[in-house]
Every structure is written in structure tokens, then in C-alpha cells.
Amino acid sequence: MSTALQQTDKPLAALKPKKKKQWQSYALMFILPSFLIYTLFVIVPTAGSIYLSFTSWDGISEDMRYIGFANFVEIWHSPRVHNALKNTLVMTISLVVLENIAAIAMAILVDKVRWFRNLFRSIFYFPTLLSGIVMGFVWAMILNYNFGVFNQILDAVGLGSWVVDWLGNPKYAMLSIILSTVWKGAGYYMIIYLAGLQGIPPELNEAASIDGANGFQQFRHITFPLLAGSMTVCMVLSMISALKIFDQIAVMTDGGPGFETETLTYIIYKVGFGELRQGFGTALAMVLFLIIMLITVIQVKFLRKREVQM
């Protein structure tokens, strides 16, 4: 009897490797088109960019003279790049903090309000539907010194001394871009935080309320710790978005006044296409890629550790 069972088991065992190979071949057939597209539009251009960063190519001529690390040495010693890096870091830190604070506040408001919840949700989310170019044009008109609505409102309410050139004054240009970007981006992160809030069991806040905890204490000890996962996602996304900010600067200030609002992404565009120094611009893009990757890894590790501690 045992020999008969062994004989019947052998064909089944022999079929398993064949079926596994068939499924592997099917999986490769599904993966191959996507992999080819990814290779063509991501891997190949990335490899080409790495090579271009070691050349003095102007973006037009066929001359791609290899110059080694000369572009990276110039980046290291360039005051303009140092200023752009400083502006990028200031803008990134400000946007990450302000966007997440605004998003959490709006999410709590939408989650707690009883009337017109969908209306508030739509109003807060609407700015994210606008492109950066459209948003930049809108705020450039609002903050215009001569006919901008904001200065007209200040003058109408008796605050004419506060009227300034918000986009032409070095003291306020960066602040204007940051606040307008927060207006545009906070609604997107609000949706993520709102999903996190709705995943918190209401029994926890009810029990804390019975124990005498007020609203702030409930937020500090219950809501905020349980939003750690949503906060990790939102902070990483907002950080990457802030490091790559371009549209608003291009439309609202063109990197000015002077170089006060010029960031790394904008200087890459100006150098590569405005000054016809594609090699130098590509080298700067490689540096920006390494900065984004390094900051993202550090941020994720820190936030994941914070999630465990909470």
C-alpha cells in the first residue's frame, strides 16, 4: 500500500517544478513591458545624466568635452549655489512644518464639524487641484504692489503703512512664496490626516473625557500619537515636494529679487536652459538627487523610531 502511494506521489511532485516555472514565465511576461518602459524613460536617462555631469556640454552643440569633476568643484565653491542651497533648506523646513500644522488643524476641523462637512472638505482641498503655474499667477496678482487685492484690503482697513511690495522686497519675497505654497499644499495632506483621524477609535476619547481630560489633553496624549503613521507619510511627501519646488518661484519672483528666492531646482533650470550650461546643470541635479535621498533616509528613520516610541 505504501509503495502504491509513493508511486502516485511522484508524478505530483514532478509537476510542481513545471507549474512553478510556468508561473514564473507568466510573471516575467507581465513585468517585462513595464520594465522596458521604466528602463527606457528612467534608467537610461539617469545613466546619460550621470555622464553629462562630467562634461561641458551646452545643450545644443555636438561637443561633449569630458572635464572630469570640474563641475562638482565649481558647485562646491560657488556662492550662488550656496545661496540657493540655503534658500532651499529654509523653504523646505518652513513648508514641512507649516503645511503639516495647517493640514492637522484642517483635518481636525473637518472631522469635528457637524454641519457642511463636505463643503469644508471641498474648500480646503480645492487649492491642490490647481497647478503650480496657475497658483503662482493667482498669488502674483493678489500680492502685486500696484493693483494687488491684498494691499488694497490693507489700505481699506486703515493699515496703509503695511503696504509693501511683497514679491519685490527681499524681506518678504520668500515669506510670500512659502505662505502661498502652504495654501496650495495643505489640503492634500489634510486628506491623509483625516483618514488617520477617522481610524482612531472614538472610545479612546470618550474614556479620556470621562476621566476628566480636556480637548488639548486628548489631542496631546491620544490623537497626536496615533497620527504618527500619517505624519510620517505627510512629512516625507511635503519634504520631497518642497525640495523640488519650481513653478511658484518661476511665476511669482523668477528667483528674485536678486537671488533671494533662487532654489536648487530653479538654478538648475536657469543654468541649464538660460545660460546653456547643461553639463553644470546636470551635475547640480545629481547633487540635488543625493541631498533628497540622504534627507529622506534620515527623516524616515527618525520618524519610524518616533512611531515606535509613541
Side-chain angles (χ1 to χ4, degrees):
M1 185 69 177
S2 60
T3 56
L5 288 174
Q6 290 177 357
Q7 290 177 355
T8 56
D9 289 342
K10 285 182 180 180
L12 294 175
L15 287 173
K16 288 183 179 179
K18 291 182 179 180
K19 289 184 177 180
K20 187 175 181 181
K21 290 181 180 179
Q22 288 179 352
W23 281 111
Q24 289 177 348
S25 63
Y26 291 149
L28 289 174
M29 289 175 59
F30 283 107
I31 294 172
L32 187 60
S34 299
F35 178 74
L36 291 176
I37 295 174
Y38 183 81
T39 302
L40 180 63
F41 290 100
V42 177
I43 297 178
V44 173
T46 301
S49 298
I50 294 173
Y51 172 73
L52 289 177
S53 66
F54 294 99
T55 68
S56 60
W57 188 45
D58 60 3
I60 298 176
S61 66
E62 297 180 358
D63 182 21
M64 292 188 183
R65 186 166 54 89
Y66 178 79
I67 58 175
F69 288 91
N71 288 327
F72 295 96
V73 173
E74 183 179 352
I75 290 172
W76 182 262
H77 295 287
S78 172
R80 184 181 178 185
V81 174
H82 297 166
N83 177 69
L85 177 61
K86 182 200 73 174
N87 292 339
T88 301
L89 293 178
V90 170
M91 192 170 293
T92 299
I93 294 172
S94 301
L95 286 176
V96 169
V97 173
L98 294 178
E99 281 183 336
N100 282 274
I101 291 176
I104 292 175
M106 290 189 298
I108 293 175
L109 175 62
V110 172
D111 186 58
K112 297 296 184 182
V113 70
R114 293 184 178 181
W115 301 97
F116 305 109
R117 176 177 298 181
N118 292 332
L119 176 62
F120 282 110
R121 187 182 303 180
S122 301
I123 292 173
F124 292 151
Y125 186 76
F126 174 75
T128 66
L129 301 178
L130 302 176
S131 68
I133 297 293
V134 173
M135 185 277 288
F137 275 118
V138 170
W139 278 97
M141 289 188 291
I142 292 174
L143 299 175
N144 186 276
Y145 177 70
N146 296 313
F147 56 82
V149 175
F150 189 66
N151 281 342
Q152 291 182 7
I153 293 174
L154 291 177
D155 193 36
V157 298
L159 298 176
S161 59
W162 290 18
V163 173
V164 297
D165 189 357
W166 297 100
L167 299 178
N169 191 319
K171 294 181 180 180
Y172 305 107
M174 179 73 76
L175 178 63
S176 300
I177 293 176
I178 290 172
L179 293 181
S180 61
T181 305
V182 170
W183 173 83
K184 179 185 184 302
Y188 175 81
Y189 306 111
M190 176 202 70
I191 298 298
I192 300 175
Y193 283 119
L194 185 59
L197 286 173
Q198 292 177 350
I200 299 175
E203 294 81 8
L204 296 176
N205 288 312
E206 292 174 2
S209 178
I210 293 173
D211 290 338
N214 56 34
F216 176 77
Q217 290 173 332
Q218 293 177 31
F219 173 79
R220 171 66 183 86
H221 297 287
I222 298 175
T223 305
F224 188 72
L226 292 178
L227 284 177
S230 300
M231 191 174 297
T232 299
V233 175
C234 290
M235 293 189 72
V236 171
L237 291 177
S238 62
M239 185 273 298
I240 295 175
S241 176
L243 287 172
K244 299 188 301 179
I245 187 172
F246 173 81
D247 298 346
Q248 295 89 318
I249 297 173
V251 174
M252 296 175 69
T253 62
D254 195 25
F259 301 107
E260 290 298 322
T261 58
E262 196 172 59
T263 60
L264 287 178
T265 51
Y266 197 70
I267 196 176
I268 289 170
Y269 161 75
K270 294 286 285 187
V271 169
F273 296 96
E275 302 175 12
L276 297 180
R277 300 184 62 196
Q278 284 284 346
F280 182 78
T282 307
L284 194 55
M286 293 294 104
V287 173
L288 178 60
F289 168 75
L290 294 175
I291 291 174
I292 293 176
M293 185 173 64
L294 178 63
I295 294 177
T296 302
V297 170
I298 295 174
Q299 188 182 34
V300 170
K301 285 189 176 181
F302 171 77
L303 292 174
R304 291 297 185 191
K305 184 178 179 181
R306 175 180 165 276
E307 288 181 25
V308 175
Q309 290 176 349
M310 284 188 172

